Amino acid sequence: MRARDFLLLVLICLIWASNNVLSKIIVDDWAVPPIFYAALRFFVVALVMLPWLLPMPRPAWRIILIGLLMGGGNFALLFIGLQTTSPSSAAIILQLGVPFTILLSVLMLGERVHWRRGIGIGMTLLGVLFVVWRPEGITLSMGLWFVAAAAFAGSAGAVLMKRVQDVSPFRFQAWVGLVSVISLPVASLLFEEGQWASASAVGWPLVAAVLFTSLIVSVGAHSAYYHLIRNYEANLLAPLTLITPLATIALGVLITNDAFDFRMGVGAALAIGGVLIVALRRKPATELLVDREQR
């Protein structure tokens, strides 16, 4: 990989990591309802990606389901989880997306799990268990349940994407944005209250944050990432994207004062090591891991 492209990938991962910490600040410190925040983000994404909307990928039900999974199913669930859990813990729990992606690819795409990938999956699950372990036993808080659900939704969306042929990444983003901007406001109205009051209380910082997460993260970073996907093999990119959880943990400790003890360190090392083992395997498994990168 050329030095310029490597630095670009590092920048992309740092943008994704900073977005995880920023999202924690928005839904926790600023008390902005998480589904409402996700709706604002995807409104801007849908507006910017509108030129790539047509023609609609077929079958219609599949692209709508992908939009639900990778929009509200992924981001809204993650933001709900971040209300009560730290970015560092969320970054480790999100690594469950790797075994989820592998297992769903076995069920839906007919892939086979070889022994090395099995070891990687086992290490990832063991790392997550270390994170949720307490002296009184295994404890998975409600926030971490939502983060795990977000990982599953993102993985399911990525696997379904493999069944849609000849659709550009920009068209996928356009439809994820459109489906999300239709479904998320309805969900927010049903399950949340005080949306505009909380947004008004934050004011311009929230506007700046929404523009950053939608334009810089969703459109800018993802577009640059898709450029790298076209030029490099998936099994080269997938291990390098592990910069994202590592940077999220570091920024969480520095900015949101996340607790990071020996148990968390061991859990992070096991989970990320397991992901690395899976990512170093050649196609098609790593293609799915690369495709599911959404932050």
Side-chain angles (χ1 to χ4, degrees):
M1 176 179 283
R2 292 182 299 178
R4 183 182 65 182
D5 290 337
F6 175 75
L7 292 176
L8 176 61
L9 182 60
V10 171
L11 177 61
I12 291 168
C13 292
L14 291 177
I15 289 173
W16 285 338
S18 63
N19 177 62
N20 292 333
V21 176
L22 177 60
S23 297
K24 167 66 175 180
I25 293 171
I26 292 171
V27 300
D28 188 5
D29 296 350
W30 295 354
V32 176
I35 303 176
F36 175 70
Y37 164 53
L40 292 177
R41 172 177 176 160
F42 279 108
F43 174 78
V44 178
V45 171
L47 194 62
V48 173
M49 303 306 293
L50 190 61
W52 288 273
L53 191 64
L54 297 177
M56 182 180 187
R58 299 293 178 179
W61 68 266
R62 184 171 290 153
I63 196 66
I64 291 172
L65 181 56
I66 291 171
L68 290 171
L69 288 169
M70 304 196 80
N74 187 3
F75 286 94
L77 289 171
L78 174 61
F79 296 158
I80 293 171
L82 283 172
Q83 284 184 303
T84 54
T85 194
S86 69
S88 299
S89 296
I92 299 171
I93 299 298
L94 282 172
Q95 302 314 303
L96 284 173
V98 173
F100 287 156
T101 299
I102 300 283
L103 294 176
L104 287 172
S105 69
V106 170
L107 294 174
M108 299 172 62
L109 303 179
E111 285 194 26
R112 297 178 62 186
V113 177
H114 297 280
W115 65 269
R116 189 169 69 179
R117 286 162 65 190
I119 292 175
I121 291 172
M123 285 180 60
T124 303
L125 294 175
L126 184 61
V128 170
L129 289 177
F130 261 91
V131 172
V132 301
W133 181 83
R134 298 292 183 274
E136 60 273 15
I138 301 298
T139 303
L140 195 61
S141 69
M142 185 57 67
L144 292 180
W145 275 112
F146 276 109
V147 175
F152 180 83
S155 296
V159 174
L160 283 174
M161 283 174 63
K162 281 297 179 183
R163 292 185 172 272
V164 182
Q165 301 297 322
D166 300 323
V167 179
S168 70
F170 280 6
R171 182 150 292 126
F172 270 121
Q173 281 211 72
W175 279 97
V176 169
L178 179 64
V179 172
S180 300
V181 85
I182 293 172
S183 58
L184 288 175
V186 175
S188 179
L189 287 173
L190 290 175
F191 300 109
E192 297 175 334
E193 57 184 21
Q195 295 93 325
W196 291 108
S198 62
S200 299
V202 178
W204 286 108
L206 178 61
V207 175
V210 169
L211 291 177
F212 172 80
T213 59
S214 55
L215 298 180
I216 304 300
V217 180
S218 288
V219 178
H222 285 164
S223 298
Y225 187 55
Y226 294 141
H227 166 74
L228 294 176
I229 289 175
R230 288 194 298 266
N231 290 281
Y232 295 97
E233 290 188 358
N235 64 313
L236 173 63
L237 292 178
L240 295 177
T241 58
L242 292 176
I243 296 170
T244 300
L246 293 173
T248 299
I249 292 170
L251 291 175
V253 172
L254 291 173
I255 297 174
T256 55
N257 299 315
D258 294 2
F260 192 80
D261 53 15
F262 176 77
R263 173 182 52 81
M264 285 277 289
V266 172
L270 285 170
I272 294 173
V275 173
L276 182 61
I277 290 175
V278 174
L280 288 174
R281 182 163 181 83
R282 290 195 172 270
K283 303 173 184 178
T286 34
E287 286 185 335
L288 282 170
L289 298 180
V290 168
D291 286 345
R292 71 169 293 278
E293 282 296 337
Q294 300 284 332
R295 295 291 180 268

